[in-house]
Amino acid sequence: MDMNMPVNVPVDDPNADTEWNDILRKHGIIPEKPPSPTPMIEEALVEARRLAHENRLEGKDLDELAELEDEEDEDFLEQYRQKRFEELATIQSTSIYNQVYPVQKPDYSRDVTEASKKAFVFVLLTSSAGTNIESKLLSEIWRELAQKYGDIKFCQMQANLCIEGYPDRNTPTVLVYKDGDIKKQIVTLQDLKGDRTAIGDLEDVLRSVGALKPNDPRLKRRDEADANLSSIRRGGSGPGVGQDDSDSDWD
């Protein structure tokens, strides 16, 4: 018998904790048993619970923080109040635009590219024919966004005046600028909701590119308004809303 020939050692379960497997591992016949994932999973869960507890006040506005005065440590609450005040102050101090800026081609570099080094700049290229429904829709939404988010610069111009020969079928087109470069472009509203696109859909775009923070208080008001509208459409739950008067005493 050739002593150098490999020996096939029967192993029922190489991962089992048995004395026989320990001997085989010691001599390198079977690989070391991989570490159990359980401790790592448990550690991750503990860390997730810790972070959730530490960040339990993230996203709450000043009114919501005031409601928690009896439940939270006052010094801890004050830290979050100060943080909210600073966020609101930043929004107020940077809200310098608040309107849609018409752009001319000779001024494009100054009004868009250079301006994007100070703030996000969203450029709307509209139909030149004036009959494009999506262009008209987005022009209306553009005005709403500009008034609501004054720390973002919203510009608008006819597509053919910006890019000679730009096809009308590609309008509306949205170009997102930041730090002198185009960060995103949207060609028509096909990837949104077409002619059913609403301001909330564009706010999601603002959030996705980083122009709005996920916990921006202005978004919170929108979410509350959407929830109220949804409640109304379902019939509501308040007194006199959605009630059936078939049992009225006047029957």
Side-chain angles (χ1 to χ4, degrees):
M1 178 177 179
D2 187 350
M3 299 300 294
N4 294 323
M5 289 182 62
V7 178
N8 291 326
V9 180
V11 180
D12 293 333
D13 181 2
N15 291 324
D17 286 321
T18 65
E19 184 178 355
W20 175 241
N21 280 354
D22 288 341
I23 295 172
L24 296 180
R25 292 189 189 102
K26 181 178 180 181
H27 293 280
I29 296 173
I30 63 174
E32 290 293 330
K33 181 182 176 183
S36 170
T38 302
M40 291 183 288
I41 293 173
E42 291 177 347
E43 183 180 343
L45 289 174
V46 169
E47 179 66 9
R49 284 193 290 268
R50 184 187 68 81
L51 290 174
H53 183 70
E54 288 186 357
N55 299 327
R56 62 190 179 278
L57 302 185
E58 283 294 339
K60 293 188 181 298
D61 58 28
L62 292 172
D63 290 336
E64 290 172 324
L65 291 175
E67 294 174 359
L68 297 174
E69 287 182 351
D70 296 334
E71 302 175 20
E72 298 285 349
D73 177 76
E74 181 59 29
D75 290 339
F76 187 58
L77 272 175
E78 187 58 32
Q79 293 178 17
Y80 275 88
R81 285 197 192 96
Q82 188 61 35
K83 185 177 179 180
R84 296 295 169 267
F85 280 126
E86 290 173 357
E87 290 172 349
L88 292 171
T90 298
I91 289 173
Q92 186 174 4
S93 65
T94 55
S95 293
I96 59 176
Y97 302 110
N98 294 108
Q99 67 180 42
V100 176
Y101 290 80
V103 179
Q104 302 296 326
K105 191 170 184 178
D107 304 322
Y108 195 93
S109 177
R110 181 195 67 198
D111 293 344
V112 176
T113 308
E114 290 301 315
S116 72
K117 295 178 181 179
K118 298 180 180 179
F120 271 92
V121 180
F122 282 67
V123 182
L124 171 60
L125 303 180
T126 60
S127 164
S128 56
T131 56
N132 185 303
I133 295 176
E134 291 187 355
S135 284
K136 292 181 178 179
L137 171 63
L138 204 47
S139 294
E140 292 294 328
I141 294 175
W142 225 237
R143 283 193 285 272
E144 292 184 59
L145 290 170
Q147 292 170 4
K148 187 174 181 181
Y149 301 106
D151 50 330
I152 301 171
K153 186 175 183 180
F154 291 89
C155 300
Q156 182 172 335
M157 68 184 302
Q158 286 187 13
N160 64 324
L161 298 180
C162 179
I163 306 170
E164 186 176 353
Y166 193 77
D168 220 46
R169 65 178 179 276
N170 287 352
T171 60
T173 292
V174 174
L175 304 175
V176 181
Y177 282 79
K178 186 67 175 75
D179 300 323
D181 295 319
I182 295 179
K183 300 299 182 182
K184 185 180 181 66
Q185 56 184 347
I186 301 173
V187 180
T188 77
L189 301 181
Q190 180 178 353
D191 292 335
L192 295 176
K193 294 180 182 177
D195 58 11
R196 293 184 296 107
T197 298
I199 185 172
D201 301 305
L202 271 299
E203 285 175 324
D204 289 339
V205 173
L206 301 184
R207 185 161 39 185
S208 70
V209 299
L212 292 179
K213 294 181 179 179
N215 60 348
D216 190 298
R218 295 168 293 185
L219 285 172
K220 189 175 184 64
R221 290 196 290 271
R222 183 204 91 184
D223 293 339
E224 290 172 349
D226 290 346
N228 291 335
L229 180 59
S230 177
S231 177
I232 292 172
R233 287 173 174 170
R234 291 195 304 269
S237 56
V241 180
Q243 293 181 349
D244 186 353
D245 60 358
S246 59
D247 294 330
S248 169
D249 292 339
W250 296 100
D251 286 350

